[in-house]
Amino acid sequence: MKKENSIDQKFNTFIIVVSILIPIVVAILFGVKLKDLGYNVAPLSFLPPIYATTNGITAFVLITAVVAIKNGNRKLHERLMTTAIALSVAFLVMYVAYHMTSVSAVFGDINHNQVLDSAEKLNVGSLRMVYLLILITHIILSIVIIPLVLITYVRALADKFDKHKKLAKITFPIWLYVAVTGVIVYLMISPYYVY
């Protein structure tokens, strides 16, 4: 019992701090352009397909991890879940780096001038609303998933497998949704990237 309580207590503050700081830092950095700060950096416009692929791999790893644990392979499950966390961190770093060095794409902006005029709005039609709905749910759930993943992971570290399993049933579908919609968002916005 002491080991479990000490692990939980050790990580509770960390989970709270990380869960609050990551969205705040990402939001701040999202608005920072290194070029505007006087740094002569090339746009990292090659990153979106890489971080979209990272999301796709994360989805595959998550599904494989669930299959592994259902087949009783706990070691493989642990490795895959650690890999999924690492992939999510890599995605986040690439995503922020891209937005700090590149012009953000606007869905439907065919001429890439960062303004969606009436002809472009008409051309894209209701697909823009579908895109925005997917994007908004992706963003909101990507914030929600941070503490869920960390708490679920810590429960496994603390050998609280009943609690781990219970929370994992909530964490898994949300994390999978975030990973899959990350790919969908990329595929939908990719024609409008400025290279």
Side-chain angles (χ1 to χ4, degrees):
M1 275 304 218
K2 286 183 180 178
K3 178 187 172 192
E4 292 176 3
N5 289 335
S6 67
I7 288 176
D8 284 355
Q9 290 171 355
K10 180 180 176 183
F11 284 103
N12 278 345
T13 304
F14 172 78
I15 291 169
I16 292 167
V17 169
V18 167
S19 298
I20 293 169
L21 276 182
I22 287 177
I24 291 171
V25 170
V26 169
I28 291 168
L29 292 178
F30 192 85
V32 172
K33 298 294 183 205
L34 293 178
K35 195 172 187 180
D36 295 344
L37 297 175
Y39 295 100
N40 189 16
V41 293
L44 301 175
S45 55
F46 63 90
L47 284 177
I50 296 171
Y51 63 67
T53 302
T54 302
N55 267 326
I57 293 169
T58 302
F60 175 77
V61 168
L62 289 171
I63 292 167
T64 306
V66 169
V67 171
I69 199 64
K70 286 187 183 283
N71 290 331
N73 194 338
R74 193 153 106 188
K75 267 293 179 215
L76 179 59
H77 175 76
E78 290 173 12
R79 288 185 190 126
L80 289 168
M81 294 313 297
T82 302
T83 300
I85 291 171
L87 287 167
S88 294
V89 170
F91 162 82
L92 189 60
V93 169
M94 288 185 282
Y95 180 80
V96 169
Y98 167 77
H99 283 285
M100 290 181 73
T101 62
S102 306
V103 175
S104 295
V106 176
F107 188 84
D109 182 23
I110 297 168
N111 62 7
H112 307 292
N113 68 351
Q114 299 289 282
V115 177
L116 198 62
D117 62 37
S118 56
E120 289 171 325
K121 283 182 187 174
L122 187 62
N123 183 52
V124 76
S126 60
L127 191 58
R128 180 170 170 76
M129 293 310 295
V130 172
Y131 168 78
L132 290 174
L133 178 65
I134 295 169
L135 178 63
I136 290 166
T137 58
H138 171 81
I139 291 169
I140 290 168
L141 291 175
S142 71
I143 295 168
V144 169
I145 200 63
I146 296 167
L148 288 175
V149 167
L150 295 174
I151 293 167
T152 305
Y153 194 77
V154 167
R155 285 183 177 175
L157 290 177
D159 294 333
K160 293 184 176 181
F161 294 112
D162 286 345
K163 288 184 175 184
H164 167 80
K165 186 177 179 180
K166 193 174 188 177
L167 187 58
K169 288 180 179 182
I170 297 166
T171 304
F172 169 73
I174 296 172
W175 196 355
L176 185 61
Y177 179 86
V178 169
V180 170
T181 55
V183 176
I184 293 169
V185 164
Y186 166 73
L187 292 174
M188 292 182 80
I189 193 78
S190 62
Y192 310 108
Y193 276 116
V194 178
Y195 295 102

